[in-house]
Amino acid sequence: MKKVAVILSGCGVYDGSEIHEAVLTLLAIEQQGASYRCFAPNIEQHHVINHLTGEVSETESRNVLVESARIARGDVEDLAELRVDDYDVLIVPGGFGAAKNLCNFAIDADNYTINEQVLAAAQAFAKAEKPAGYMCIAPALLPLIYPQGIQGTIGTDTGTANLIAAKGLVHNDCQVADIVVDNAHKVVTTPAYMLATSMSEAAAGINKLVKSVLALS
């Protein structure tokens, strides 16, 4: 049975992992006959968003690992414990947490950097030539992990794509139900909720991504 490491970035589209994307990913992994383990960095979130009002909480702070445990039903490990030799594939769902907690693309798109633990884990898979899947805004991480010229997609948003391309991503426009495969680096990307207007739309691309990235392993 192939084993997948999934990196989460909290719980909630506006300040953590996109919950639908994360759950659809875990479901797709199981449906493909593989197993998964969730990981998250043990760090404070960039900020906390009230998902009912969309407002930033001025008094609340939350931990990315603790919040990720909500999605993983408590079964999540500190990212520092991730060992690449134990897994065949890496998958990173999106949500603003990927752009606020795993890196700071949402805060400084012109000069963004990636969390050191996330970088170490993702580069370990890249150096081991193990496949990886990134969805939604998570492909913003790719040019900080892989060499210049890595192929990927965040959908069809030219402005966002150009900001990531400035770091070295070769962006491919892609519709919600499709994927972009960089065979040279064994990286698969899909737009998910960068374009999806429903869970069914998001699932179409996510299912393809999971199937494709497992096939590369």
Side-chain angles (χ1 to χ4, degrees), residues 9-29:
S9 58
C11 180
V13 58
Y14 300 125
D15 57 12
S17 289
E18 211 297 322
I19 296 171
H20 295 170
E21 288 181 7
V23 173
L24 288 168
T25 296
L26 303 183
L27 176 61
I29 292 168

PDB file of all heavy atoms in Angstrom, residues 9-29:
ATOM      1  N   SER A   9      -2.412  23.202   6.971  1.00  0.00           N
ATOM      2  CA  SER A   9      -1.964  24.547   7.372  1.00  0.00           C
ATOM      3  C   SER A   9      -2.942  25.224   8.317  1.00  0.00           C
ATOM      4  O   SER A   9      -3.020  26.449   8.385  1.00  0.00           O
ATOM      5  CB  SER A   9      -1.769  25.419   6.127  1.00  0.00           C
ATOM      6  OG  SER A   9      -2.970  25.504   5.359  1.00  0.00           O
ATOM      7  N   GLY A  10      -3.697  24.413   9.067  1.00  0.00           N
ATOM      8  CA  GLY A  10      -4.713  24.952   9.956  1.00  0.00           C
ATOM      9  C   GLY A  10      -6.072  24.406   9.568  1.00  0.00           C
ATOM     10  O   GLY A  10      -6.180  23.369   8.911  1.00  0.00           O
ATOM     11  N   CYS A  11      -7.121  25.118   9.959  1.00  0.00           N
ATOM     12  CA  CYS A  11      -8.477  24.624   9.702  1.00  0.00           C
ATOM     13  C   CYS A  11      -9.401  25.793   9.364  1.00  0.00           C
ATOM     14  O   CYS A  11      -9.823  26.541  10.241  1.00  0.00           O
ATOM     15  CB  CYS A  11      -8.994  23.869  10.920  1.00  0.00           C
ATOM     16  SG  CYS A  11     -10.653  23.198  10.729  1.00  0.00           S
ATOM     17  N   GLY A  12      -9.693  25.948   8.092  1.00  0.00           N
ATOM     18  CA  GLY A  12     -10.587  27.021   7.650  1.00  0.00           C
ATOM     19  C   GLY A  12     -10.004  27.755   6.474  1.00  0.00           C
ATOM     20  O   GLY A  12      -8.828  28.127   6.475  1.00  0.00           O
ATOM     21  N   VAL A  13     -10.819  27.989   5.456  1.00  0.00           N
ATOM     22  CA  VAL A  13     -10.324  28.517   4.188  1.00  0.00           C
ATOM     23  C   VAL A  13      -9.585  29.841   4.325  1.00  0.00           C
ATOM     24  O   VAL A  13      -8.602  30.080   3.618  1.00  0.00           O
ATOM     25  CB  VAL A  13     -11.494  28.666   3.183  1.00  0.00           C
ATOM     26  CG1 VAL A  13     -12.597  29.574   3.723  1.00  0.00           C
ATOM     27  CG2 VAL A  13     -11.005  29.196   1.842  1.00  0.00           C
ATOM     28  N   TYR A  14     -10.009  30.722   5.237  1.00  0.00           N
ATOM     29  CA  TYR A  14      -9.446  32.070   5.277  1.00  0.00           C
ATOM     30  C   TYR A  14      -8.171  32.195   6.108  1.00  0.00           C
ATOM     31  O   TYR A  14      -7.440  33.182   5.960  1.00  0.00           O
ATOM     32  CB  TYR A  14     -10.496  33.065   5.792  1.00  0.00           C
ATOM     33  CG  TYR A  14     -11.726  33.121   4.933  1.00  0.00           C
ATOM     34  CD1 TYR A  14     -12.983  32.907   5.474  1.00  0.00           C
ATOM     35  CD2 TYR A  14     -11.631  33.358   3.560  1.00  0.00           C
ATOM     36  CE1 TYR A  14     -14.125  32.940   4.675  1.00  0.00           C
ATOM     37  CE2 TYR A  14     -12.760  33.404   2.755  1.00  0.00           C
ATOM     38  CZ  TYR A  14     -14.000  33.184   3.318  1.00  0.00           C
ATOM     39  OH  TYR A  14     -15.125  33.208   2.526  1.00  0.00           O
ATOM     40  N   ASP A  15      -7.890  31.214   6.970  1.00  0.00           N
ATOM     41  CA  ASP A  15      -6.673  31.306   7.785  1.00  0.00           C
ATOM     42  C   ASP A  15      -5.968  29.967   7.964  1.00  0.00           C
ATOM     43  O   ASP A  15      -4.989  29.876   8.686  1.00  0.00           O
ATOM     44  CB  ASP A  15      -6.980  31.926   9.156  1.00  0.00           C
ATOM     45  CG  ASP A  15      -8.042  31.167   9.948  1.00  0.00           C
ATOM     46  OD1 ASP A  15      -8.389  30.029   9.555  1.00  0.00           O
ATOM     47  OD2 ASP A  15      -8.525  31.709  10.972  1.00  0.00           O
ATOM     48  N   GLY A  16      -6.452  28.926   7.290  1.00  0.00           N
ATOM     49  CA  GLY A  16      -5.846  27.603   7.418  1.00  0.00           C
ATOM     50  C   GLY A  16      -6.041  26.788   6.153  1.00  0.00           C
ATOM     51  O   GLY A  16      -6.157  27.346   5.057  1.00  0.00           O
ATOM     52  N   SER A  17      -6.096  25.475   6.291  1.00  0.00           N
ATOM     53  CA  SER A  17      -6.378  24.609   5.150  1.00  0.00           C
ATOM     54  C   SER A  17      -7.829  24.770   4.721  1.00  0.00           C
ATOM     55  O   SER A  17      -8.728  24.929   5.559  1.00  0.00           O
ATOM     56  CB  SER A  17      -6.138  23.139   5.521  1.00  0.00           C
ATOM     57  OG  SER A  17      -4.773  22.863   5.676  1.00  0.00           O
ATOM     58  N   GLU A  18      -8.066  24.712   3.403  1.00  0.00           N
ATOM     59  CA  GLU A  18      -9.430  24.682   2.887  1.00  0.00           C
ATOM     60  C   GLU A  18     -10.000  23.319   3.260  1.00  0.00           C
ATOM     61  O   GLU A  18      -9.493  22.292   2.813  1.00  0.00           O
ATOM     62  CB  GLU A  18      -9.412  24.876   1.370  1.00  0.00           C
ATOM     63  CG  GLU A  18     -10.628  25.579   0.806  1.00  0.00           C
ATOM     64  CD  GLU A  18     -11.905  24.812   1.027  1.00  0.00           C
ATOM     65  OE1 GLU A  18     -11.885  23.561   0.925  1.00  0.00           O
ATOM     66  OE2 GLU A  18     -12.933  25.454   1.292  1.00  0.00           O
ATOM     67  N   ILE A  19     -11.032  23.298   4.082  1.00  0.00           N
ATOM     68  CA  ILE A  19     -11.504  22.047   4.671  1.00  0.00           C
ATOM     69  C   ILE A  19     -12.011  21.084   3.614  1.00  0.00           C
ATOM     70  O   ILE A  19     -11.704  19.883   3.652  1.00  0.00           O
ATOM     71  CB  ILE A  19     -12.585  22.331   5.731  1.00  0.00           C
ATOM     72  CG1 ILE A  19     -11.980  23.136   6.883  1.00  0.00           C
ATOM     73  CG2 ILE A  19     -13.182  21.029   6.256  1.00  0.00           C
ATOM     74  CD1 ILE A  19     -13.005  23.652   7.884  1.00  0.00           C
ATOM     75  N   HIS A  20     -12.788  21.572   2.649  1.00  0.00           N
ATOM     76  CA  HIS A  20     -13.294  20.681   1.607  1.00  0.00           C
ATOM     77  C   HIS A  20     -12.137  20.065   0.820  1.00  0.00           C
ATOM     78  O   HIS A  20     -12.143  18.859   0.541  1.00  0.00           O
ATOM     79  CB  HIS A  20     -14.226  21.435   0.649  1.00  0.00           C
ATOM     80  CG  HIS A  20     -15.483  21.917   1.294  1.00  0.00           C
ATOM     81  ND1 HIS A  20     -16.352  22.791   0.673  1.00  0.00           N
ATOM     82  CD2 HIS A  20     -16.022  21.666   2.508  1.00  0.00           C
ATOM     83  CE1 HIS A  20     -17.368  23.041   1.475  1.00  0.00           C
ATOM     84  NE2 HIS A  20     -17.186  22.382   2.594  1.00  0.00           N
ATOM     85  N   GLU A  21     -11.157  20.879   0.466  1.00  0.00           N
ATOM     86  CA  GLU A  21     -10.006  20.352  -0.276  1.00  0.00           C
ATOM     87  C   GLU A  21      -9.282  19.281   0.529  1.00  0.00           C
ATOM     88  O   GLU A  21      -8.897  18.235  -0.017  1.00  0.00           O
ATOM     89  CB  GLU A  21      -9.034  21.478  -0.616  1.00  0.00           C
ATOM     90  CG  GLU A  21      -9.531  22.426  -1.680  1.00  0.00           C
ATOM     91  CD  GLU A  21      -8.524  23.521  -1.995  1.00  0.00           C
ATOM     92  OE1 GLU A  21      -7.393  23.475  -1.480  1.00  0.00           O
ATOM     93  OE2 GLU A  21      -8.886  24.426  -2.762  1.00  0.00           O
ATOM     94  N   ALA A  22      -9.076  19.543   1.802  1.00  0.00           N
ATOM     95  CA  ALA A  22      -8.345  18.591   2.641  1.00  0.00           C
ATOM     96  C   ALA A  22      -9.109  17.275   2.757  1.00  0.00           C
ATOM     97  O   ALA A  22      -8.534  16.187   2.583  1.00  0.00           O
ATOM     98  CB  ALA A  22      -8.099  19.193   4.025  1.00  0.00           C
ATOM     99  N   VAL A  23     -10.406  17.354   3.035  1.00  0.00           N
ATOM    100  CA  VAL A  23     -11.200  16.134   3.220  1.00  0.00           C
ATOM    101  C   VAL A  23     -11.350  15.381   1.897  1.00  0.00           C
ATOM    102  O   VAL A  23     -11.239  14.144   1.862  1.00  0.00           O
ATOM    103  CB  VAL A  23     -12.571  16.477   3.828  1.00  0.00           C
ATOM    104  CG1 VAL A  23     -13.461  15.235   3.872  1.00  0.00           C
ATOM    105  CG2 VAL A  23     -12.417  17.059   5.222  1.00  0.00           C
ATOM    106  N   LEU A  24     -11.583  16.103   0.810  1.00  0.00           N
ATOM    107  CA  LEU A  24     -11.664  15.444  -0.497  1.00  0.00           C
ATOM    108  C   LEU A  24     -10.349  14.745  -0.847  1.00  0.00           C
ATOM    109  O   LEU A  24     -10.352  13.668  -1.452  1.00  0.00           O
ATOM    110  CB  LEU A  24     -12.030  16.459  -1.577  1.00  0.00           C
ATOM    111  CG  LEU A  24     -13.473  16.970  -1.563  1.00  0.00           C
ATOM    112  CD1 LEU A  24     -13.615  18.179  -2.478  1.00  0.00           C
ATOM    113  CD2 LEU A  24     -14.446  15.869  -1.983  1.00  0.00           C
ATOM    114  N   THR A  25      -9.241  15.340  -0.456  1.00  0.00           N
ATOM    115  CA  THR A  25      -7.930  14.726  -0.694  1.00  0.00           C
ATOM    116  C   THR A  25      -7.788  13.430   0.082  1.00  0.00           C
ATOM    117  O   THR A  25      -7.366  12.396  -0.468  1.00  0.00           O
ATOM    118  CB  THR A  25      -6.806  15.707  -0.294  1.00  0.00           C
ATOM    119  OG1 THR A  25      -6.857  16.861  -1.137  1.00  0.00           O
ATOM    120  CG2 THR A  25      -5.439  15.054  -0.420  1.00  0.00           C
ATOM    121  N   LEU A  26      -8.134  13.455   1.356  1.00  0.00           N
ATOM    122  CA  LEU A  26      -8.021  12.257   2.184  1.00  0.00           C
ATOM    123  C   LEU A  26      -8.945  11.147   1.667  1.00  0.00           C
ATOM    124  O   LEU A  26      -8.558   9.972   1.630  1.00  0.00           O
ATOM    125  CB  LEU A  26      -8.350  12.585   3.638  1.00  0.00           C
ATOM    126  CG  LEU A  26      -7.504  13.684   4.302  1.00  0.00           C
ATOM    127  CD1 LEU A  26      -7.898  13.846   5.769  1.00  0.00           C
ATOM    128  CD2 LEU A  26      -6.013  13.414   4.165  1.00  0.00           C
ATOM    129  N   LEU A  27     -10.142  11.533   1.251  1.00  0.00           N
ATOM    130  CA  LEU A  27     -11.082  10.558   0.692  1.00  0.00           C
ATOM    131  C   LEU A  27     -10.529   9.943  -0.594  1.00  0.00           C
ATOM    132  O   LEU A  27     -10.572   8.723  -0.776  1.00  0.00           O
ATOM    133  CB  LEU A  27     -12.428  11.229   0.417  1.00  0.00           C
ATOM    134  CG  LEU A  27     -13.498  10.369  -0.260  1.00  0.00           C
ATOM    135  CD1 LEU A  27     -13.855   9.167   0.599  1.00  0.00           C
ATOM    136  CD2 LEU A  27     -14.737  11.214  -0.568  1.00  0.00           C
ATOM    137  N   ALA A  28     -10.002  10.793  -1.469  1.00  0.00           N
ATOM    138  CA  ALA A  28      -9.464  10.303  -2.745  1.00  0.00           C
ATOM    139  C   ALA A  28      -8.290   9.357  -2.524  1.00  0.00           C
ATOM    140  O   ALA A  28      -8.147   8.355  -3.229  1.00  0.00           O
ATOM    141  CB  ALA A  28      -9.044  11.478  -3.619  1.00  0.00           C
ATOM    142  N   ILE A  29      -7.459   9.666  -1.542  1.00  0.00           N
ATOM    143  CA  ILE A  29      -6.317   8.785  -1.234  1.00  0.00           C
ATOM    144  C   ILE A  29      -6.820   7.395  -0.842  1.00  0.00           C
ATOM    145  O   ILE A  29      -6.335   6.375  -1.336  1.00  0.00           O
ATOM    146  CB  ILE A  29      -5.440   9.390  -0.117  1.00  0.00           C
ATOM    147  CG1 ILE A  29      -4.730  10.652  -0.625  1.00  0.00           C
ATOM    148  CG2 ILE A  29      -4.420   8.369   0.389  1.00  0.00           C
ATOM    149  CD1 ILE A  29      -4.081  11.474   0.477  1.00  0.00           C
TER     150      ILE A  29
END
